[in-house]
Amino acid sequence: MVLAGCRGAPRDDADPPPRRVTQFSVINALMLGDYDGVFSIGDVLEHGDFGVGTLDHLDGELIVLDGRAYQVNGEGRVLDAGSDRKTPFATVVRFVGDGSLRCPAARSLAELDAFFEQRVPHANSFVAVRVEGRFETLTLRSVARQEPPYRSLSEVAKEQAVWHHEKIAGTLVGIRTPAWAHGLNVTGTHWHFLSNDRRVGGHVLDCRIEQAASTYQVCTDWLVRLDDRPEFDRLDLGRDMRSQVSDVESARGVGE
Amino acid sequence: MVLAGCRGAPRDDADPPPRRVTQFSVINALMLGDYDGVFSIGDVLEHGDFGVGTLDHLDGELIVLDGRAYQVNGEGRVLDAGSDRKTPFATVVRFVGDGSLRCPAARSLAELDAFFEQRVPHANSFVAVRVEGRFETLTLRSVARQEPPYRSLSEVAKEQAVWHHEKIAGTLVGIRTPAWAHGLNVTGTHWHFLSNDRRVGGHVLDCRIEQAASTYQVCTDWLVRLDDRPEFDRLDLGRDMRSQVSDVESARGVGE
């Protein structure tokens, strides 16, 4: 090391390697209703500047973009998520981008997913994908703040708010998780959106691209920060909840 | 930060937080015969001074103790594993110990496991356990170096060498993995042993304790380093191989 003195400095994760994806807690804990935020947004931002998640009490969708954290609350309002706010579940990377691809005019989110799976195979790695462009249509959702005793995410998601937008410009923030990490994160690509004017955002249920470009980053270094409270140890995290996770992440809501 | 200049220094993992457990690759890759070492022992030692694993070509058992890496080869010889050697699978922590317990005179490894599960519950965290003492009996195994095309670990383990020792003093190096991380690491406690005279070691199949003391460390920060070769991406890591892993880790061999 050039700076020998650094070896003695307190270690933190303020400068994680770019091929690292860091997640806070695991998806099955969230599925079981563990919505208490135990990790600060400040801590999350030290681990990455790009990612997705939720807020304390499941208070909406979290979008981390260009080093800032945004909350999309249950009414669809985009707010700054201060570094003192907390989260029960989030996934971030320090986005540098190790490749770029012009996006096809995908007619659905499934088509967009298929495009990236083909062009950025790496089936057993995590991949962060940033898509910037204009969208013909966009279907977003958010969830409303919950109070204990918490219901499961499958129950709460039935009451999600869903919004349809047309002709909107912004960024899709995507984190792709390999299939073998089911139970720990959302397998496939988990997409959130934030508009260029920072007035519209949410968890993406569907989209139709007008014109877009993407950058991506393959992550082979996966850090999982676990909750150290006794409540966490009591959760049955080994249950196979793949179909419930899939329902929660892609369901269009009761009104669809 | 006191030393502002450090923020610009190249980031490495030479000083990982003490509550971090770092694993190189995942157990299902090893089960499927992915024995090519892609991580250097030097890299492993930068992530921890205490742990277990194997060597390139499945060339025996790896024990990391007090910052040194030892290989127990297929004949049971204990050798230094130089930092230029490689490993396909290993798990380490920087051991500081956040608690100590006097061990019971356990009559079996299962009894020892049950003791720690009761006294150090933390069912959803990783736990490193160091047991130092004298053993009435100790059953160890190692595996012989393989050449490609590799057979699965279930096949290779049928040919493992098993040794019985009596009245031996040394250290058990244990890494406990929560049940929900099956497929990724060896669930339950994965124990390796190294004698005080550094002449006997291996993967522990059974033991009977005469007298021992232990220190342990709960890890809530779990780093997984994934192999970035295309071969790794072709492995079907999502298969449920729990029963095969259990057989491989605890089977006493054909001669038992």
Side-chain angles (χ1 to χ4, degrees), chain A residues 153-221:
Chain A
L153 188 52
S154 297
E155 284 303 308
V156 174
K158 289 177 187 165
E159 301 159 8
Q160 68 187 358
V162 177
W163 302 280
H164 299 279
H165 296 275
E166 295 188 0
K167 299 281 181 191
I168 188 165
T171 303
L172 295 180
V173 174
I175 301 285
R176 192 170 89 196
T177 294
W180 51 260
H182 68 85
L184 307 180
N185 210 317
V186 178
T187 58
T189 310
H190 186 178
W191 297 102
H192 284 192
F193 173 82
L194 189 63
S195 66
N196 286 348
D197 64 9
R198 304 301 191 241
R199 298 184 66 163
V200 171
H203 174 101
V204 183
L205 295 176
D206 206 359
C207 73
R208 192 175 175 118
I209 291 179
E210 184 183 323
Q211 186 180 33
S214 72
T215 44
Y216 63 85
Q217 179 172 325
V218 178
C219 297
T220 52
D221 194 283

Side-chain angles (χ1 to χ4, degrees), chain A residues 1-3 5-17 19-20 26 47 121-126 178-182 184 219-228 231-238 242, chain B residues 1-3 5-17 19-20 26 47 121-126 178-182 184 219-228 231-238 242:
Chain A
M1 304 289 290
V2 178
L3 294 164
C6 288
R7 295 296 285 271
R11 159 67 182 271
D12 63 22
D13 284 294
D15 187 21
R19 296 182 82 84
R20 174 170 300 171
V26 297
H47 286 76
H122 302 277
N124 287 331
S125 296
F126 290 77
W180 51 260
H182 68 85
L184 307 180
C219 297
T220 52
D221 194 283
W222 175 39
L223 177 62
V224 182
R225 298 279 306 273
L226 300 167
D227 178 354
D228 61 3
E231 298 91 301
F232 183 76
D233 278 319
R234 287 195 285 271
L235 298 172
D236 176 15
L237 300 178
R242 274 177 275 192
Chain B
M1 302 290 290
V2 178
L3 296 164
C6 287
R7 296 295 286 270
R11 160 67 183 271
D12 62 23
D13 284 294
D15 188 20
R19 296 181 83 84
R20 174 170 299 171
V26 297
H47 286 77
H122 302 277
N124 286 332
S125 296
F126 289 76
W180 51 260
H182 68 84
L184 306 180
C219 297
T220 52
D221 194 282
W222 174 40
L223 177 62
V224 182
R225 297 278 306 273
L226 300 168
D227 179 353
D228 60 4
E231 298 92 300
F232 183 76
D233 277 320
R234 287 195 285 270
L235 297 172
D236 176 14
L237 300 178
R242 273 176 276 193

Side-chain angles (χ1 to χ4, degrees), chain A residues 5 16 46 94 141 152 224:
Chain A
E46 284 194 353
R94 182 159 70 82
R141 76 101 188 268
S152 73
V224 182

Side-chain angles (χ1 to χ4, degrees), chain B residues 9-93:
Chain B
R11 160 67 183 271
D12 62 23
D13 284 294
D15 188 20
R19 296 181 83 84
R20 174 170 299 171
V21 57
T22 301
Q23 67 174 79
F24 295 80
S25 194
V26 297
I27 191 65
N28 273 8
L30 200 72
M31 291 300 295
L32 293 170
D34 184 23
Y35 305 145
D36 283 328
V38 286
F39 306 98
S40 76
I41 295 297
D43 193 9
V44 170
L45 292 176
E46 284 194 353
H47 286 77
D49 51 21
F50 178 92
V52 299
T54 184
L55 280 294
D56 190 25
H57 287 251
L58 201 73
D59 193 6
E61 307 285 348
L62 175 71
I63 298 136
V64 177
L65 184 59
D66 294 328
R68 289 186 67 173
Y70 302 87
Q71 172 196 16
V72 179
N73 72 12
E75 286 84 50
R77 287 189 57 199
V78 180
L79 304 162
D80 266 314
S83 56
D84 55 328
R85 294 287 301 273
K86 297 208 165 199
T87 175
F89 183 73
T91 307
V92 291
V93 301

